[in-house]
Amino acid sequence: MADTQSVISDVKLFLQRLKKDLPEVFGTQPAAQEAKDGTPAALVPHENQVLYNGDLFPVQMYLTPDQEPGVAFDGQVFHVYLQTEQDSPSQLVTDWLREKARETLTAKTAEWAQKMGVAFNQIFIKDQRTLWASCSGKKNLNFSYRIVKMPLAVQDYLMVHELCHLTYMNHGAEYWQLVAQFAPDYKLHRRWLNENKDAIFADVELTYQPPTPSNQ
């Protein structure tokens, strides 16, 4: 069974599609929130926000000289702990995303491979800036750590996409038929990737601002 987060991610993407296909049901969105064709505007992280699992989350930073620098995510806010003002909150969060990608993509790809009845060799998590993922002739899978910025349903699609290459090393009709068996909404996911690629490829940019002393 799909976990709760995956179901929520699927619902969000389904609603995005309905907003385009049934504008008479969802009404007119403010122009600033729409693209020219009426679809939801692409994600744009603002100052001190982190894109993760398809949502933008605020960041709270703390100067904690007595503890090691680190990141904690509580499901709503990224808490970034800096030992000195010279520590880079951007690098700390980037390292956190890389580690999360290593954990989740490795485990979930293995689950998908079992469901699909295919076998791969190794998984490599990289910082690819031109490809989301790839499959080699040696059955090795390469994923950009940036995939964890995407909705869970889109992450699943990319795993399915590469695992299908273990059967068809091309993008022919049979290949896409196989993809559709395990990711029926793959066209929607491909569109989301195209519309949000700039936000996904963008580096994390965070700036620590010391608290302003209060007047006594």
Side-chain angles (χ1 to χ4, degrees):
M1 293 179 64
D3 57 40
T4 302
Q5 283 187 310
S6 294
V7 172
I8 292 173
S9 182
D10 285 334
V11 170
K12 286 181 179 178
L13 289 166
F14 177 68
L15 289 175
Q16 286 182 16
R17 181 174 59 183
L18 285 183
K19 285 180 180 180
K20 178 179 182 298
D21 294 341
L22 300 172
E24 67 276 16
V25 174
F26 285 88
T28 302
Q29 298 293 325
Q33 297 180 5
E34 287 191 351
K36 291 182 179 179
D37 63 354
T39 58
L43 290 167
V44 180
H46 297 291
E47 183 179 9
N48 288 348
Q49 285 188 324
V50 173
L51 179 57
Y52 176 59
N53 283 348
D55 284 317
L56 292 168
F57 295 96
V59 177
Q60 291 184 3
M61 287 174 265
Y62 315 89
L63 191 60
T64 53
D66 296 331
Q67 71 179 61
E68 290 294 319
V71 176
F73 178 59
D74 63 10
Q76 298 295 327
V77 177
F78 276 89
H79 301 275
V80 181
Y81 299 91
L82 309 173
Q83 194 168 44
T84 72
E85 292 188 22
Q86 283 66 52
D87 290 332
S88 170
S90 301
Q91 189 60 54
L92 287 170
V93 172
T94 298
D95 291 344
W96 186 93
L97 292 172
R98 285 176 179 269
E99 184 58 32
K100 188 60 64 174
R102 196 175 314 280
E103 293 174 4
T104 59
L105 295 180
T106 300
K108 292 181 70 176
T109 300
E111 291 176 5
W112 273 112
Q114 185 174 16
K115 292 177 185 178
M116 297 169 64
V118 295
F120 58 88
N121 186 16
Q122 298 183 72
I123 293 180
F124 298 96
I125 306 299
K126 302 180 178 181
D127 184 8
Q128 300 181 126
R129 292 176 177 267
T130 56
L131 294 172
W132 305 124
S134 61
C135 176
S136 74
K138 295 181 179 180
K139 297 187 176 183
N140 292 325
L141 304 178
N142 302 294
F143 292 108
S144 171
Y145 84 88
R146 298 167 189 269
I147 287 174
V148 295
K149 298 181 181 182
M150 304 171 185
L152 293 173
V154 180
Q155 295 180 34
D156 285 338
Y157 156 65
L158 287 173
M159 297 176 219
V160 168
H161 183 111
E162 298 310 325
L163 289 169
C164 284
H165 280 312
L166 296 172
T167 303
Y168 299 105
M169 285 297 289
N170 57 56
H171 289 98
E174 291 180 321
Y175 167 81
W176 288 114
Q177 288 172 5
L178 184 59
V179 170
Q181 289 183 31
F182 298 97
D185 289 331
Y186 75 88
K187 292 182 180 179
L188 177 64
H189 302 328
R190 295 183 72 198
R191 181 176 181 179
W192 189 95
L193 288 169
N194 184 60
E195 293 176 346
N196 292 280
K197 59 181 180 293
D198 290 342
I200 299 299
F201 280 130
D203 291 329
V204 175
E205 294 186 5
L206 304 173
T207 303
Y208 173 70
Q209 297 178 347
T212 303
S214 58
N215 294 324
Q216 300 295 327

